[in-house]
Amino acid sequence: MTHSASPFVPDPSRYIKRSSREVPVGPVTIGGGSPVVLQSMLTSDTLNTEACVREALDLVEAGCELVRITAPTVKDAANLRAIREELRRRSCPVPLVADIHFKPEAAMEAAQWVDKVRINPGNYADRKKFVVRSYTDAEYASAVEQLEDSFLPLVELCLRRGIALRIGTNHGSLSDRILNRYGDTPLGMVESALEYARICRKAGFHRIVFSMKASNPRIMISAYRRLVATLQELGPDWNYPVHLGVTEAGDGEDGRVKSAVGIGALLADGIGDTIRVSLTEDSVREIPVAKALRSLVEQFATAPRPRDRIVPPFDPFSFQRRESHRWDRNPTVGGGEPVRVAVLEENLAALEAASAGTEIVPELGYQPRLVEEVDPEDSAALTALGGGPPRLVTIRDGCPYPPLYAFRMLAARIPAHHPILLKDTFFPGEEGDPLRSLLNSALQLGALLCDGIGDAILLRGEADPRKALELSYNILQATGNRSFKADFVACPSCGRTLFHLQETTARIRKATGHLKGVKIAVMGCIVNGPGEMADADFGYVGGAPGKVNLYVGKKAVRFNIPQEQAVDSLISLIAGEGKWVEPPSS
């Protein structure tokens, strides 16, 4: 299937950086051809000046170029002055960004002391009570006018001070007004941001950065592509830079895989001027991941370029799996079957024995003689595939292009009924940094799977066969293709957090990780829950210091549970909803 060329990217088979205007943030420039700027967020209490300064200095030493700090109250916002002054006293010029959610008055205070303010359109001036109602055009217009009254003072202050503003939409935290007209969709996310951008432009303010974050990489990718396409349709002076992030990515390998899929796929599309990797870990651990992602995509910019452009073989705004036919082997590949996990034939028997009785099993022994290995630019070989019976097709090793671009070329040039085996590398056996290898595998395979391309995957960037098999399944889970364990949406800690997120997430993961297909959100405060839990089945949300509220979907059902009892209460709630199973005895 081919789709008309979309303005979200000039050619999906090569790296072309999106052109954006410069937005100064203190001594740092976002957009305008500058390198991708790396960000993180403090986990310390904003009122603890010394802890915030110490954490910020550690981040800067690790390579962080922009530091964000939560300011949930006017008192917190006022203390940004002390943090800034102490950093400057210690000769640290890093720009500071205030993170604002519900309180315009906190934003007004923070804007006096920072280089950039981030607001979330879903809960800055609008409110959300998850009420279903229809708005007449007049009611909708009236609500937008009220929004302007609340937001314009901040815009005017940013204009006077010459500071920047990030309009940061989050999936799952859209206002009731947007939800009722557009639904909880990428389209609604874009329109929510544009409402605020129009107010900025009306006031002559253009130091704007956009973001469209989601915990689901598929939704995130779609939302950012729709944003960029919409900005281009609006005109060349709408070329504002873009901040990328997978919100609440989680921890460990899961968090790194999700981040590589979402952030990496968009960077490879040339979209993104600044990034933050959101891990439920110490903030300083986010920076090596962000650095590695930036470095990987910088290599794409210098890779050889194909001779000819292609029309996208996928819908960039709405996920649709490529419609291949069944390749009848054991197991069947393509034709709507789950994306299969291939391993090298010589490792198959050992991996089958080691994984017996688990969900993580090898499904296909890779033998080059059973697969059609082609050059994506060899017209004769591609024509020879023709319209005959389905054959499993892949790209021959040694191809000079990054796999993401090469497999898009292949999908655009072969009949759709042939299923495709994806590879994460065309140069197996190359030794490299383990983190870079993990992120590269997740980026190359995950981005293609989010495009709907791929019927089987072969991961060879990880030398250990067992680890490679586990990573393959983690990539399939992160992209929504397979579910073999519980899925966790865990926010990164910040100054609003009401319990120790890392320890709590680890306890919940240990107790519930075996619940295949169940999605659990672990949120440190009411700002991130219930709204940003998005489509989670259950939520564990900080309600007050030492107390937890439990949710089914977005509905709070149990309140103020002492933290030491909350994990057991969560298990009881899951059981009451009929989704609990006992963990395997092993």
PDB file of all heavy atoms in Angstrom, residues 161-181:
ATOM      1  N   ARG A 161      10.116  39.954  28.977  1.00  0.00           N
ATOM      2  CA  ARG A 161      11.381  39.443  29.515  1.00  0.00           C
ATOM      3  C   ARG A 161      12.249  38.772  28.453  1.00  0.00           C
ATOM      4  O   ARG A 161      13.398  38.432  28.714  1.00  0.00           O
ATOM      5  CB  ARG A 161      11.123  38.442  30.651  1.00  0.00           C
ATOM      6  CG  ARG A 161      10.621  39.076  31.945  1.00  0.00           C
ATOM      7  CD  ARG A 161      11.010  38.225  33.140  1.00  0.00           C
ATOM      8  NE  ARG A 161      12.455  38.109  33.250  1.00  0.00           N
ATOM      9  CZ  ARG A 161      13.122  36.953  33.287  1.00  0.00           C
ATOM     10  NH1 ARG A 161      12.473  35.796  33.195  1.00  0.00           N
ATOM     11  NH2 ARG A 161      14.436  36.932  33.388  1.00  0.00           N
ATOM     12  N   GLY A 162      11.711  38.505  27.264  1.00  0.00           N
ATOM     13  CA  GLY A 162      12.483  37.848  26.223  1.00  0.00           C
ATOM     14  C   GLY A 162      12.783  36.396  26.530  1.00  0.00           C
ATOM     15  O   GLY A 162      13.859  35.885  26.180  1.00  0.00           O
ATOM     16  N   ILE A 163      11.844  35.692  27.192  1.00  0.00           N
ATOM     17  CA  ILE A 163      12.043  34.279  27.508  1.00  0.00           C
ATOM     18  C   ILE A 163      11.136  33.421  26.628  1.00  0.00           C
ATOM     19  O   ILE A 163      10.229  33.923  25.955  1.00  0.00           O
ATOM     20  CB  ILE A 163      11.794  33.977  29.004  1.00  0.00           C
ATOM     21  CG1 ILE A 163      10.316  34.198  29.367  1.00  0.00           C
ATOM     22  CG2 ILE A 163      12.704  34.839  29.875  1.00  0.00           C
ATOM     23  CD1 ILE A 163       9.973  33.739  30.787  1.00  0.00           C
ATOM     24  N   ALA A 164      11.385  32.131  26.626  1.00  0.00           N
ATOM     25  CA  ALA A 164      10.677  31.207  25.742  1.00  0.00           C
ATOM     26  C   ALA A 164       9.520  30.526  26.462  1.00  0.00           C
ATOM     27  O   ALA A 164       9.415  30.555  27.699  1.00  0.00           O
ATOM     28  CB  ALA A 164      11.646  30.161  25.197  1.00  0.00           C
ATOM     29  N   LEU A 165       8.671  29.900  25.668  1.00  0.00           N
ATOM     30  CA  LEU A 165       7.487  29.214  26.187  1.00  0.00           C
ATOM     31  C   LEU A 165       7.323  27.896  25.454  1.00  0.00           C
ATOM     32  O   LEU A 165       7.353  27.865  24.221  1.00  0.00           O
ATOM     33  CB  LEU A 165       6.249  30.092  25.964  1.00  0.00           C
ATOM     34  CG  LEU A 165       4.906  29.594  26.471  1.00  0.00           C
ATOM     35  CD1 LEU A 165       4.864  29.649  27.999  1.00  0.00           C
ATOM     36  CD2 LEU A 165       3.777  30.467  25.904  1.00  0.00           C
ATOM     37  N   ARG A 166       7.202  26.814  26.209  1.00  0.00           N
ATOM     38  CA  ARG A 166       6.867  25.527  25.566  1.00  0.00           C
ATOM     39  C   ARG A 166       5.396  25.234  25.779  1.00  0.00           C
ATOM     40  O   ARG A 166       4.917  25.213  26.920  1.00  0.00           O
ATOM     41  CB  ARG A 166       7.698  24.360  26.111  1.00  0.00           C
ATOM     42  CG  ARG A 166       7.162  23.000  25.604  1.00  0.00           C
ATOM     43  CD  ARG A 166       8.199  21.926  25.542  1.00  0.00           C
ATOM     44  NE  ARG A 166       8.637  21.416  26.806  1.00  0.00           N
ATOM     45  CZ  ARG A 166       8.143  20.316  27.413  1.00  0.00           C
ATOM     46  NH1 ARG A 166       7.141  19.629  26.858  1.00  0.00           N
ATOM     47  NH2 ARG A 166       8.649  19.904  28.556  1.00  0.00           N
ATOM     48  N   ILE A 167       4.701  25.034  24.678  1.00  0.00           N
ATOM     49  CA  ILE A 167       3.303  24.607  24.724  1.00  0.00           C
ATOM     50  C   ILE A 167       3.338  23.086  24.626  1.00  0.00           C
ATOM     51  O   ILE A 167       3.501  22.517  23.550  1.00  0.00           O
ATOM     52  CB  ILE A 167       2.497  25.233  23.574  1.00  0.00           C
ATOM     53  CG1 ILE A 167       2.576  26.762  23.658  1.00  0.00           C
ATOM     54  CG2 ILE A 167       1.048  24.776  23.622  1.00  0.00           C
ATOM     55  CD1 ILE A 167       1.955  27.473  22.468  1.00  0.00           C
ATOM     56  N   GLY A 168       3.215  22.436  25.789  1.00  0.00           N
ATOM     57  CA  GLY A 168       3.462  21.000  25.878  1.00  0.00           C
ATOM     58  C   GLY A 168       2.201  20.200  26.102  1.00  0.00           C
ATOM     59  O   GLY A 168       1.748  20.020  27.237  1.00  0.00           O
ATOM     60  N   THR A 169       1.623  19.715  25.016  1.00  0.00           N
ATOM     61  CA  THR A 169       0.411  18.891  25.102  1.00  0.00           C
ATOM     62  C   THR A 169       0.788  17.463  25.496  1.00  0.00           C
ATOM     63  O   THR A 169       1.757  16.923  24.994  1.00  0.00           O
ATOM     64  CB  THR A 169      -0.319  18.872  23.756  1.00  0.00           C
ATOM     65  OG1 THR A 169      -0.604  20.206  23.354  1.00  0.00           O
ATOM     66  CG2 THR A 169      -1.616  18.090  23.835  1.00  0.00           C
ATOM     67  N   ASN A 170      -0.004  16.873  26.370  1.00  0.00           N
ATOM     68  CA  ASN A 170       0.191  15.474  26.749  1.00  0.00           C
ATOM     69  C   ASN A 170      -1.058  14.664  26.435  1.00  0.00           C
ATOM     70  O   ASN A 170      -2.173  15.060  26.800  1.00  0.00           O
ATOM     71  CB  ASN A 170       0.506  15.341  28.235  1.00  0.00           C
ATOM     72  CG  ASN A 170       1.962  15.594  28.556  1.00  0.00           C
ATOM     73  OD1 ASN A 170       2.665  16.260  27.795  1.00  0.00           O
ATOM     74  ND2 ASN A 170       2.416  15.069  29.673  1.00  0.00           N
ATOM     75  N   HIS A 171      -0.860  13.526  25.769  1.00  0.00           N
ATOM     76  CA  HIS A 171      -1.970  12.609  25.531  1.00  0.00           C
ATOM     77  C   HIS A 171      -2.539  12.161  26.876  1.00  0.00           C
ATOM     78  O   HIS A 171      -1.817  11.795  27.779  1.00  0.00           O
ATOM     79  CB  HIS A 171      -1.455  11.392  24.748  1.00  0.00           C
ATOM     80  CG  HIS A 171      -2.511  10.384  24.454  1.00  0.00           C
ATOM     81  ND1 HIS A 171      -2.464   9.107  24.951  1.00  0.00           N
ATOM     82  CD2 HIS A 171      -3.632  10.455  23.708  1.00  0.00           C
ATOM     83  CE1 HIS A 171      -3.508   8.427  24.511  1.00  0.00           C
ATOM     84  NE2 HIS A 171      -4.234   9.225  23.759  1.00  0.00           N
ATOM     85  N   GLY A 172      -3.849  12.206  26.995  1.00  0.00           N
ATOM     86  CA  GLY A 172      -4.481  11.786  28.243  1.00  0.00           C
ATOM     87  C   GLY A 172      -4.782  12.939  29.170  1.00  0.00           C
ATOM     88  O   GLY A 172      -5.494  12.758  30.152  1.00  0.00           O
ATOM     89  N   SER A 173      -4.224  14.137  28.893  1.00  0.00           N
ATOM     90  CA  SER A 173      -4.539  15.268  29.785  1.00  0.00           C
ATOM     91  C   SER A 173      -5.096  16.441  28.992  1.00  0.00           C
ATOM     92  O   SER A 173      -4.823  17.592  29.291  1.00  0.00           O
ATOM     93  CB  SER A 173      -3.297  15.699  30.573  1.00  0.00           C
ATOM     94  OG  SER A 173      -2.308  16.233  29.734  1.00  0.00           O
ATOM     95  N   LEU A 174      -5.884  16.128  27.983  1.00  0.00           N
ATOM     96  CA  LEU A 174      -6.557  17.177  27.219  1.00  0.00           C
ATOM     97  C   LEU A 174      -7.762  17.689  28.009  1.00  0.00           C
ATOM     98  O   LEU A 174      -8.333  16.977  28.834  1.00  0.00           O
ATOM     99  CB  LEU A 174      -7.007  16.640  25.868  1.00  0.00           C
ATOM    100  CG  LEU A 174      -5.898  16.095  24.953  1.00  0.00           C
ATOM    101  CD1 LEU A 174      -6.497  15.537  23.672  1.00  0.00           C
ATOM    102  CD2 LEU A 174      -4.873  17.166  24.640  1.00  0.00           C
ATOM    103  N   SER A 175      -8.148  18.925  27.731  1.00  0.00           N
ATOM    104  CA  SER A 175      -9.294  19.506  28.434  1.00  0.00           C
ATOM    105  C   SER A 175     -10.584  18.828  27.995  1.00  0.00           C
ATOM    106  O   SER A 175     -10.664  18.213  26.923  1.00  0.00           O
ATOM    107  CB  SER A 175      -9.374  20.999  28.133  1.00  0.00           C
ATOM    108  OG  SER A 175      -9.733  21.201  26.772  1.00  0.00           O
ATOM    109  N   ASP A 176     -11.611  18.968  28.846  1.00  0.00           N
ATOM    110  CA  ASP A 176     -12.921  18.407  28.485  1.00  0.00           C
ATOM    111  C   ASP A 176     -13.417  18.973  27.158  1.00  0.00           C
ATOM    112  O   ASP A 176     -14.010  18.262  26.340  1.00  0.00           O
ATOM    113  CB  ASP A 176     -13.946  18.720  29.578  1.00  0.00           C
ATOM    114  CG  ASP A 176     -13.769  17.832  30.808  1.00  0.00           C
ATOM    115  OD1 ASP A 176     -12.995  16.876  30.731  1.00  0.00           O
ATOM    116  OD2 ASP A 176     -14.414  18.115  31.842  1.00  0.00           O
ATOM    117  N   ARG A 177     -13.167  20.271  26.943  1.00  0.00           N
ATOM    118  CA  ARG A 177     -13.655  20.914  25.716  1.00  0.00           C
ATOM    119  C   ARG A 177     -13.014  20.268  24.475  1.00  0.00           C
ATOM    120  O   ARG A 177     -13.706  19.933  23.508  1.00  0.00           O
ATOM    121  CB  ARG A 177     -13.328  22.411  25.785  1.00  0.00           C
ATOM    122  CG  ARG A 177     -13.774  23.215  24.591  1.00  0.00           C
ATOM    123  CD  ARG A 177     -13.563  24.693  24.864  1.00  0.00           C
ATOM    124  NE  ARG A 177     -12.232  24.959  25.390  1.00  0.00           N
ATOM    125  CZ  ARG A 177     -11.133  25.012  24.632  1.00  0.00           C
ATOM    126  NH1 ARG A 177     -11.219  24.813  23.331  1.00  0.00           N
ATOM    127  NH2 ARG A 177      -9.969  25.259  25.166  1.00  0.00           N
ATOM    128  N   ILE A 178     -11.699  20.064  24.509  1.00  0.00           N
ATOM    129  CA  ILE A 178     -11.013  19.427  23.381  1.00  0.00           C
ATOM    130  C   ILE A 178     -11.453  17.968  23.248  1.00  0.00           C
ATOM    131  O   ILE A 178     -11.716  17.474  22.145  1.00  0.00           O
ATOM    132  CB  ILE A 178      -9.485  19.519  23.565  1.00  0.00           C
ATOM    133  CG1 ILE A 178      -9.005  20.967  23.395  1.00  0.00           C
ATOM    134  CG2 ILE A 178      -8.757  18.600  22.587  1.00  0.00           C
ATOM    135  CD1 ILE A 178      -9.027  21.499  21.984  1.00  0.00           C
ATOM    136  N   LEU A 179     -11.540  17.270  24.383  1.00  0.00           N
ATOM    137  CA  LEU A 179     -11.923  15.850  24.342  1.00  0.00           C
ATOM    138  C   LEU A 179     -13.297  15.660  23.720  1.00  0.00           C
ATOM    139  O   LEU A 179     -13.511  14.723  22.933  1.00  0.00           O
ATOM    140  CB  LEU A 179     -11.923  15.263  25.756  1.00  0.00           C
ATOM    141  CG  LEU A 179     -10.565  14.918  26.363  1.00  0.00           C
ATOM    142  CD1 LEU A 179     -10.726  14.528  27.826  1.00  0.00           C
ATOM    143  CD2 LEU A 179      -9.904  13.782  25.600  1.00  0.00           C
ATOM    144  N   ASN A 180     -14.228  16.537  24.056  1.00  0.00           N
ATOM    145  CA  ASN A 180     -15.582  16.364  23.554  1.00  0.00           C
ATOM    146  C   ASN A 180     -15.709  16.700  22.074  1.00  0.00           C
ATOM    147  O   ASN A 180     -16.594  16.194  21.406  1.00  0.00           O
ATOM    148  CB  ASN A 180     -16.559  17.202  24.381  1.00  0.00           C
ATOM    149  CG  ASN A 180     -16.944  16.524  25.685  1.00  0.00           C
ATOM    150  OD1 ASN A 180     -17.803  15.655  25.705  1.00  0.00           O
ATOM    151  ND2 ASN A 180     -16.288  16.884  26.773  1.00  0.00           N
ATOM    152  N   ARG A 181     -14.828  17.540  21.560  1.00  0.00           N
ATOM    153  CA  ARG A 181     -14.901  17.871  20.134  1.00  0.00           C
ATOM    154  C   ARG A 181     -14.004  16.982  19.283  1.00  0.00           C
ATOM    155  O   ARG A 181     -14.380  16.608  18.176  1.00  0.00           O
ATOM    156  CB  ARG A 181     -14.560  19.344  19.916  1.00  0.00           C
ATOM    157  CG  ARG A 181     -14.595  19.748  18.448  1.00  0.00           C
ATOM    158  CD  ARG A 181     -14.840  21.228  18.245  1.00  0.00           C
ATOM    159  NE  ARG A 181     -16.191  21.641  18.603  1.00  0.00           N
ATOM    160  CZ  ARG A 181     -16.738  22.786  18.219  1.00  0.00           C
ATOM    161  NH1 ARG A 181     -16.060  23.641  17.470  1.00  0.00           N
ATOM    162  NH2 ARG A 181     -17.963  23.106  18.586  1.00  0.00           N
TER     163      ARG A 181
END
